[in-house]
Amino acid sequence: MTTTGTVRYWAAAKAAAGAAEEPYAAATLAEALEAARTAHAANPEFARVLLRSSFLVDGVQVGSRDHAGVPLTQGGTVEVLPPFAGG
């Protein structure tokens, strides 16, 4: 089931996306990230930032879980957190 919510970008992800946030319409984190990659395909730096980023879904760290197995909730939030200060 497709849900809608918000993707929030921080630091380098925000710069690469050219926005602090944007909506998602997806059932899983993998679907939301693929839609974001497609939307920002003109900026290859965006895809590179996503590869290095960590993700929170509704405040819960995704960690090493398969993104296809991380469900999104209606009205939820995905936080894209690139490495900070050399981290």
Side-chain angles (χ1 to χ4, degrees):
M1 174 195 236
T2 298
T3 61
T4 59
T6 303
V7 178
R8 289 194 183 128
Y9 300 111
W10 298 97
K14 180 178 174 180
E21 61 183 45
E22 60 189 10
Y24 69 71
T28 66
L29 178 58
E31 291 175 13
L33 294 177
E34 184 56 33
R37 280 185 200 91
T38 299
H40 298 283
N43 182 359
E45 181 60 20
F46 182 80
R48 285 190 288 273
V49 169
L50 285 186
L51 287 174
R52 297 187 313 264
S53 294
S54 299
F55 304 96
L56 299 177
V57 173
D58 297 333
V60 177
Q61 186 175 13
V62 172
S64 62
R65 288 185 285 160
D66 180 0
H67 295 169
V70 177
L72 300 179
T73 59
Q74 183 63 36
T77 302
V78 173
E79 309 271 350
V80 181
L81 306 166
F84 290 87

PDB file of all heavy atoms in Angstrom, residues 1-32:
ATOM      1  N   MET A   1       0.833  -1.179   0.000  1.00  0.00           N
ATOM      2  CA  MET A   1       0.000   0.000   0.000  1.00  0.00           C
ATOM      3  C   MET A   1       0.883   1.250   0.000  1.00  0.00           C
ATOM      4  O   MET A   1       1.750   1.402   0.852  1.00  0.00           O
ATOM      5  CB  MET A   1      -0.908  -0.015   1.231  1.00  0.00           C
ATOM      6  CG  MET A   1      -1.692   1.246   1.378  1.00  0.00           C
ATOM      7  SD  MET A   1      -2.409   1.374   3.019  1.00  0.00           S
ATOM      8  CE  MET A   1      -4.090   1.572   2.597  1.00  0.00           C
ATOM      9  N   THR A   2       0.674   2.118  -0.946  1.00  0.00           N
ATOM     10  CA  THR A   2       1.438   3.355  -1.035  1.00  0.00           C
ATOM     11  C   THR A   2       0.943   4.340   0.018  1.00  0.00           C
ATOM     12  O   THR A   2      -0.257   4.508   0.220  1.00  0.00           O
ATOM     13  CB  THR A   2       1.302   3.970  -2.436  1.00  0.00           C
ATOM     14  OG1 THR A   2       1.837   3.045  -3.383  1.00  0.00           O
ATOM     15  CG2 THR A   2       2.054   5.276  -2.537  1.00  0.00           C
ATOM     16  N   THR A   3       1.901   4.962   0.700  1.00  0.00           N
ATOM     17  CA  THR A   3       1.582   5.977   1.696  1.00  0.00           C
ATOM     18  C   THR A   3       2.266   7.280   1.303  1.00  0.00           C
ATOM     19  O   THR A   3       3.152   7.301   0.462  1.00  0.00           O
ATOM     20  CB  THR A   3       2.054   5.548   3.096  1.00  0.00           C
ATOM     21  OG1 THR A   3       3.470   5.375   3.061  1.00  0.00           O
ATOM     22  CG2 THR A   3       1.401   4.253   3.526  1.00  0.00           C
ATOM     23  N   THR A   4       1.859   8.355   1.924  1.00  0.00           N
ATOM     24  CA  THR A   4       2.492   9.640   1.655  1.00  0.00           C
ATOM     25  C   THR A   4       3.050  10.211   2.950  1.00  0.00           C
ATOM     26  O   THR A   4       2.538   9.954   4.033  1.00  0.00           O
ATOM     27  CB  THR A   4       1.495  10.634   1.036  1.00  0.00           C
ATOM     28  OG1 THR A   4       0.405  10.816   1.930  1.00  0.00           O
ATOM     29  CG2 THR A   4       0.989  10.144  -0.308  1.00  0.00           C
ATOM     30  N   GLY A   5       4.123  10.957   2.804  1.00  0.00           N
ATOM     31  CA  GLY A   5       4.770  11.584   3.942  1.00  0.00           C
ATOM     32  C   GLY A   5       5.823  12.561   3.451  1.00  0.00           C
ATOM     33  O   GLY A   5       5.746  13.052   2.322  1.00  0.00           O
ATOM     34  N   THR A   6       6.826  12.786   4.284  1.00  0.00           N
ATOM     35  CA  THR A   6       7.855  13.785   3.986  1.00  0.00           C
ATOM     36  C   THR A   6       9.248  13.184   4.096  1.00  0.00           C
ATOM     37  O   THR A   6       9.536  12.466   5.047  1.00  0.00           O
ATOM     38  CB  THR A   6       7.742  14.954   4.988  1.00  0.00           C
ATOM     39  OG1 THR A   6       6.421  15.500   4.904  1.00  0.00           O
ATOM     40  CG2 THR A   6       8.748  16.044   4.683  1.00  0.00           C
ATOM     41  N   VAL A   7      10.089  13.507   3.118  1.00  0.00           N
ATOM     42  CA  VAL A   7      11.515  13.204   3.194  1.00  0.00           C
ATOM     43  C   VAL A   7      12.203  14.504   3.583  1.00  0.00           C
ATOM     44  O   VAL A   7      12.004  15.537   2.928  1.00  0.00           O
ATOM     45  CB  VAL A   7      12.086  12.704   1.850  1.00  0.00           C
ATOM     46  CG1 VAL A   7      13.582  12.451   1.966  1.00  0.00           C
ATOM     47  CG2 VAL A   7      11.373  11.459   1.383  1.00  0.00           C
ATOM     48  N   ARG A   8      12.997  14.454   4.659  1.00  0.00           N
ATOM     49  CA  ARG A   8      13.759  15.634   5.102  1.00  0.00           C
ATOM     50  C   ARG A   8      15.235  15.390   4.835  1.00  0.00           C
ATOM     51  O   ARG A   8      15.774  14.350   5.208  1.00  0.00           O
ATOM     52  CB  ARG A   8      13.544  15.889   6.587  1.00  0.00           C
ATOM     53  CG  ARG A   8      12.172  16.399   6.886  1.00  0.00           C
ATOM     54  CD  ARG A   8      12.078  16.962   8.287  1.00  0.00           C
ATOM     55  NE  ARG A   8      10.707  17.376   8.520  1.00  0.00           N
ATOM     56  CZ  ARG A   8       9.987  17.006   9.554  1.00  0.00           C
ATOM     57  NH1 ARG A   8      10.512  16.234  10.483  1.00  0.00           N
ATOM     58  NH2 ARG A   8       8.748  17.423   9.685  1.00  0.00           N
ATOM     59  N   TYR A   9      15.855  16.366   4.216  1.00  0.00           N
ATOM     60  CA  TYR A   9      17.269  16.280   3.875  1.00  0.00           C
ATOM     61  C   TYR A   9      18.081  17.173   4.807  1.00  0.00           C
ATOM     62  O   TYR A   9      17.680  18.289   5.108  1.00  0.00           O
ATOM     63  CB  TYR A   9      17.494  16.743   2.433  1.00  0.00           C
ATOM     64  CG  TYR A   9      16.753  15.917   1.422  1.00  0.00           C
ATOM     65  CD1 TYR A   9      15.685  16.443   0.698  1.00  0.00           C
ATOM     66  CD2 TYR A   9      17.117  14.597   1.184  1.00  0.00           C
ATOM     67  CE1 TYR A   9      15.001  15.683  -0.233  1.00  0.00           C
ATOM     68  CE2 TYR A   9      16.443  13.831   0.250  1.00  0.00           C
ATOM     69  CZ  TYR A   9      15.394  14.377  -0.452  1.00  0.00           C
ATOM     70  OH  TYR A   9      14.717  13.618  -1.373  1.00  0.00           O
ATOM     71  N   TRP A  10      19.234  16.681   5.233  1.00  0.00           N
ATOM     72  CA  TRP A  10      20.112  17.428   6.122  1.00  0.00           C
ATOM     73  C   TRP A  10      21.478  17.599   5.479  1.00  0.00           C
ATOM     74  O   TRP A  10      21.946  16.743   4.732  1.00  0.00           O
ATOM     75  CB  TRP A  10      20.247  16.704   7.467  1.00  0.00           C
ATOM     76  CG  TRP A  10      18.933  16.595   8.167  1.00  0.00           C
ATOM     77  CD1 TRP A  10      18.080  15.530   8.159  1.00  0.00           C
ATOM     78  CD2 TRP A  10      18.285  17.618   8.923  1.00  0.00           C
ATOM     79  NE1 TRP A  10      16.948  15.822   8.876  1.00  0.00           N
ATOM     80  CE2 TRP A  10      17.048  17.102   9.364  1.00  0.00           C
ATOM     81  CE3 TRP A  10      18.633  18.919   9.281  1.00  0.00           C
ATOM     82  CZ2 TRP A  10      16.166  17.836  10.139  1.00  0.00           C
ATOM     83  CZ3 TRP A  10      17.748  19.639  10.057  1.00  0.00           C
ATOM     84  CH2 TRP A  10      16.533  19.102  10.480  1.00  0.00           C
ATOM     85  N   ALA A  11      22.123  18.720   5.757  1.00  0.00           N
ATOM     86  CA  ALA A  11      23.508  19.024   5.367  1.00  0.00           C
ATOM     87  C   ALA A  11      23.725  18.796   3.868  1.00  0.00           C
ATOM     88  O   ALA A  11      23.054  19.421   3.058  1.00  0.00           O
ATOM     89  CB  ALA A  11      24.475  18.231   6.230  1.00  0.00           C
ATOM     90  N   ALA A  12      24.672  17.930   3.499  1.00  0.00           N
ATOM     91  CA  ALA A  12      25.020  17.718   2.089  1.00  0.00           C
ATOM     92  C   ALA A  12      23.829  17.183   1.284  1.00  0.00           C
ATOM     93  O   ALA A  12      23.708  17.471   0.098  1.00  0.00           O
ATOM     94  CB  ALA A  12      26.204  16.764   1.974  1.00  0.00           C
ATOM     95  N   ALA A  13      22.953  16.426   1.924  1.00  0.00           N
ATOM     96  CA  ALA A  13      21.768  15.927   1.220  1.00  0.00           C
ATOM     97  C   ALA A  13      20.838  17.084   0.859  1.00  0.00           C
ATOM     98  O   ALA A  13      20.274  17.118  -0.231  1.00  0.00           O
ATOM     99  CB  ALA A  13      21.037  14.894   2.079  1.00  0.00           C
ATOM    100  N   LYS A  14      20.706  18.026   1.763  1.00  0.00           N
ATOM    101  CA  LYS A  14      19.881  19.209   1.511  1.00  0.00           C
ATOM    102  C   LYS A  14      20.467  20.017   0.355  1.00  0.00           C
ATOM    103  O   LYS A  14      19.734  20.460  -0.536  1.00  0.00           O
ATOM    104  CB  LYS A  14      19.810  20.058   2.780  1.00  0.00           C
ATOM    105  CG  LYS A  14      18.983  21.306   2.661  1.00  0.00           C
ATOM    106  CD  LYS A  14      18.967  22.029   4.010  1.00  0.00           C
ATOM    107  CE  LYS A  14      18.284  23.354   3.948  1.00  0.00           C
ATOM    108  NZ  LYS A  14      18.291  24.035   5.264  1.00  0.00           N
ATOM    109  N   ALA A  15      21.774  20.187   0.356  1.00  0.00           N
ATOM    110  CA  ALA A  15      22.425  20.930  -0.728  1.00  0.00           C
ATOM    111  C   ALA A  15      22.254  20.214  -2.068  1.00  0.00           C
ATOM    112  O   ALA A  15      21.956  20.850  -3.080  1.00  0.00           O
ATOM    113  CB  ALA A  15      23.905  21.121  -0.409  1.00  0.00           C
ATOM    114  N   ALA A  16      22.420  18.906  -2.080  1.00  0.00           N
ATOM    115  CA  ALA A  16      22.310  18.146  -3.328  1.00  0.00           C
ATOM    116  C   ALA A  16      20.871  18.115  -3.849  1.00  0.00           C
ATOM    117  O   ALA A  16      20.642  18.149  -5.051  1.00  0.00           O
ATOM    118  CB  ALA A  16      22.834  16.726  -3.126  1.00  0.00           C
ATOM    119  N   ALA A  17      19.903  18.056  -2.940  1.00  0.00           N
ATOM    120  CA  ALA A  17      18.494  18.040  -3.346  1.00  0.00           C
ATOM    121  C   ALA A  17      18.004  19.430  -3.742  1.00  0.00           C
ATOM    122  O   ALA A  17      17.025  19.564  -4.475  1.00  0.00           O
ATOM    123  CB  ALA A  17      17.622  17.497  -2.217  1.00  0.00           C
ATOM    124  N   GLY A  18      18.660  20.452  -3.205  1.00  0.00           N
ATOM    125  CA  GLY A  18      18.214  21.813  -3.467  1.00  0.00           C
ATOM    126  C   GLY A  18      16.946  22.158  -2.704  1.00  0.00           C
ATOM    127  O   GLY A  18      16.238  23.111  -3.048  1.00  0.00           O
ATOM    128  N   ALA A  19      16.664  21.374  -1.661  1.00  0.00           N
ATOM    129  CA  ALA A  19      15.467  21.593  -0.846  1.00  0.00           C
ATOM    130  C   ALA A  19      15.676  20.947   0.511  1.00  0.00           C
ATOM    131  O   ALA A  19      16.408  19.971   0.635  1.00  0.00           O
ATOM    132  CB  ALA A  19      14.246  20.977  -1.513  1.00  0.00           C
ATOM    133  N   ALA A  20      15.008  21.469   1.519  1.00  0.00           N
ATOM    134  CA  ALA A  20      15.100  20.896   2.854  1.00  0.00           C
ATOM    135  C   ALA A  20      14.215  19.667   2.993  1.00  0.00           C
ATOM    136  O   ALA A  20      14.499  18.765   3.783  1.00  0.00           O
ATOM    137  CB  ALA A  20      14.713  21.934   3.901  1.00  0.00           C
ATOM    138  N   GLU A  21      13.132  19.626   2.235  1.00  0.00           N
ATOM    139  CA  GLU A  21      12.227  18.478   2.296  1.00  0.00           C
ATOM    140  C   GLU A  21      11.388  18.402   1.044  1.00  0.00           C
ATOM    141  O   GLU A  21      11.286  19.367   0.277  1.00  0.00           O
ATOM    142  CB  GLU A  21      11.340  18.532   3.535  1.00  0.00           C
ATOM    143  CG  GLU A  21      10.442  19.724   3.623  1.00  0.00           C
ATOM    144  CD  GLU A  21       9.640  19.752   4.926  1.00  0.00           C
ATOM    145  OE1 GLU A  21      10.213  19.507   6.002  1.00  0.00           O
ATOM    146  OE2 GLU A  21       8.430  20.026   4.837  1.00  0.00           O
ATOM    147  N   GLU A  22      10.794  17.225   0.854  1.00  0.00           N
ATOM    148  CA  GLU A  22       9.881  17.005  -0.262  1.00  0.00           C
ATOM    149  C   GLU A  22       8.976  15.828   0.093  1.00  0.00           C
ATOM    150  O   GLU A  22       9.309  15.037   0.981  1.00  0.00           O
ATOM    151  CB  GLU A  22      10.632  16.764  -1.568  1.00  0.00           C
ATOM    152  CG  GLU A  22      11.551  15.568  -1.578  1.00  0.00           C
ATOM    153  CD  GLU A  22      12.437  15.515  -2.817  1.00  0.00           C
ATOM    154  OE1 GLU A  22      12.474  16.493  -3.582  1.00  0.00           O
ATOM    155  OE2 GLU A  22      13.097  14.493  -2.990  1.00  0.00           O
ATOM    156  N   PRO A  23       7.841  15.723  -0.556  1.00  0.00           N
ATOM    157  CA  PRO A  23       6.918  14.645  -0.221  1.00  0.00           C
ATOM    158  C   PRO A  23       7.364  13.303  -0.798  1.00  0.00           C
ATOM    159  O   PRO A  23       8.107  13.258  -1.783  1.00  0.00           O
ATOM    160  CB  PRO A  23       5.603  15.089  -0.866  1.00  0.00           C
ATOM    161  CG  PRO A  23       6.023  15.961  -1.996  1.00  0.00           C
ATOM    162  CD  PRO A  23       7.291  16.636  -1.549  1.00  0.00           C
ATOM    163  N   TYR A  24       6.905  12.224  -0.179  1.00  0.00           N
ATOM    164  CA  TYR A  24       7.064  10.900  -0.773  1.00  0.00           C
ATOM    165  C   TYR A  24       5.692  10.273  -0.963  1.00  0.00           C
ATOM    166  O   TYR A  24       4.736  10.609  -0.269  1.00  0.00           O
ATOM    167  CB  TYR A  24       7.975   9.977   0.047  1.00  0.00           C
ATOM    168  CG  TYR A  24       7.463   9.499   1.381  1.00  0.00           C
ATOM    169  CD1 TYR A  24       6.425   8.559   1.475  1.00  0.00           C
ATOM    170  CD2 TYR A  24       8.024   9.943   2.570  1.00  0.00           C
ATOM    171  CE1 TYR A  24       5.968   8.107   2.712  1.00  0.00           C
ATOM    172  CE2 TYR A  24       7.572   9.496   3.804  1.00  0.00           C
ATOM    173  CZ  TYR A  24       6.544   8.570   3.863  1.00  0.00           C
ATOM    174  OH  TYR A  24       6.091   8.123   5.069  1.00  0.00           O
ATOM    175  N   ALA A  25       5.628   9.369  -1.917  1.00  0.00           N
ATOM    176  CA  ALA A  25       4.462   8.512  -2.133  1.00  0.00           C
ATOM    177  C   ALA A  25       5.050   7.137  -2.416  1.00  0.00           C
ATOM    178  O   ALA A  25       5.475   6.848  -3.534  1.00  0.00           O
ATOM    179  CB  ALA A  25       3.606   9.002  -3.288  1.00  0.00           C
ATOM    180  N   ALA A  26       5.153   6.310  -1.391  1.00  0.00           N
ATOM    181  CA  ALA A  26       5.826   5.022  -1.504  1.00  0.00           C
ATOM    182  C   ALA A  26       5.388   4.112  -0.371  1.00  0.00           C
ATOM    183  O   ALA A  26       4.913   4.573   0.663  1.00  0.00           O
ATOM    184  CB  ALA A  26       7.337   5.219  -1.447  1.00  0.00           C
ATOM    185  N   ALA A  27       5.593   2.820  -0.563  1.00  0.00           N
ATOM    186  CA  ALA A  27       5.261   1.847   0.473  1.00  0.00           C
ATOM    187  C   ALA A  27       6.462   1.521   1.353  1.00  0.00           C
ATOM    188  O   ALA A  27       6.306   1.185   2.513  1.00  0.00           O
ATOM    189  CB  ALA A  27       4.719   0.569  -0.161  1.00  0.00           C
ATOM    190  N   THR A  28       7.673   1.618   0.768  1.00  0.00           N
ATOM    191  CA  THR A  28       8.889   1.262   1.505  1.00  0.00           C
ATOM    192  C   THR A  28       9.944   2.346   1.352  1.00  0.00           C
ATOM    193  O   THR A  28       9.874   3.183   0.437  1.00  0.00           O
ATOM    194  CB  THR A  28       9.500  -0.058   0.996  1.00  0.00           C
ATOM    195  OG1 THR A  28       9.968   0.138  -0.347  1.00  0.00           O
ATOM    196  CG2 THR A  28       8.497  -1.213   1.039  1.00  0.00           C
ATOM    197  N   LEU A  29      10.934   2.281   2.211  1.00  0.00           N
ATOM    198  CA  LEU A  29      12.048   3.221   2.109  1.00  0.00           C
ATOM    199  C   LEU A  29      12.748   3.079   0.763  1.00  0.00           C
ATOM    200  O   LEU A  29      13.100   4.084   0.140  1.00  0.00           O
ATOM    201  CB  LEU A  29      13.034   2.992   3.260  1.00  0.00           C
ATOM    202  CG  LEU A  29      14.285   3.862   3.269  1.00  0.00           C
ATOM    203  CD1 LEU A  29      13.937   5.349   3.301  1.00  0.00           C
ATOM    204  CD2 LEU A  29      15.185   3.481   4.435  1.00  0.00           C
ATOM    205  N   ALA A  30      12.934   1.866   0.280  1.00  0.00           N
ATOM    206  CA  ALA A  30      13.579   1.658  -1.018  1.00  0.00           C
ATOM    207  C   ALA A  30      12.827   2.377  -2.131  1.00  0.00           C
ATOM    208  O   ALA A  30      13.438   3.029  -2.992  1.00  0.00           O
ATOM    209  CB  ALA A  30      13.693   0.168  -1.328  1.00  0.00           C
ATOM    210  N   GLU A  31      11.502   2.286  -2.125  1.00  0.00           N
ATOM    211  CA  GLU A  31      10.691   2.959  -3.147  1.00  0.00           C
ATOM    212  C   GLU A  31      10.821   4.476  -3.038  1.00  0.00           C
ATOM    213  O   GLU A  31      10.932   5.171  -4.060  1.00  0.00           O
ATOM    214  CB  GLU A  31       9.226   2.557  -3.023  1.00  0.00           C
ATOM    215  CG  GLU A  31       8.946   1.130  -3.402  1.00  0.00           C
ATOM    216  CD  GLU A  31       7.502   0.735  -3.161  1.00  0.00           C
ATOM    217  OE1 GLU A  31       6.645   1.619  -2.920  1.00  0.00           O
ATOM    218  OE2 GLU A  31       7.212  -0.472  -3.195  1.00  0.00           O
ATOM    219  N   ALA A  32      10.802   5.000  -1.834  1.00  0.00           N
ATOM    220  CA  ALA A  32      10.916   6.447  -1.645  1.00  0.00           C
ATOM    221  C   ALA A  32      12.275   6.953  -2.116  1.00  0.00           C
ATOM    222  O   ALA A  32      12.363   7.995  -2.778  1.00  0.00           O
ATOM    223  CB  ALA A  32      10.694   6.811  -0.186  1.00  0.00           C
TER     224      ALA A  32
END
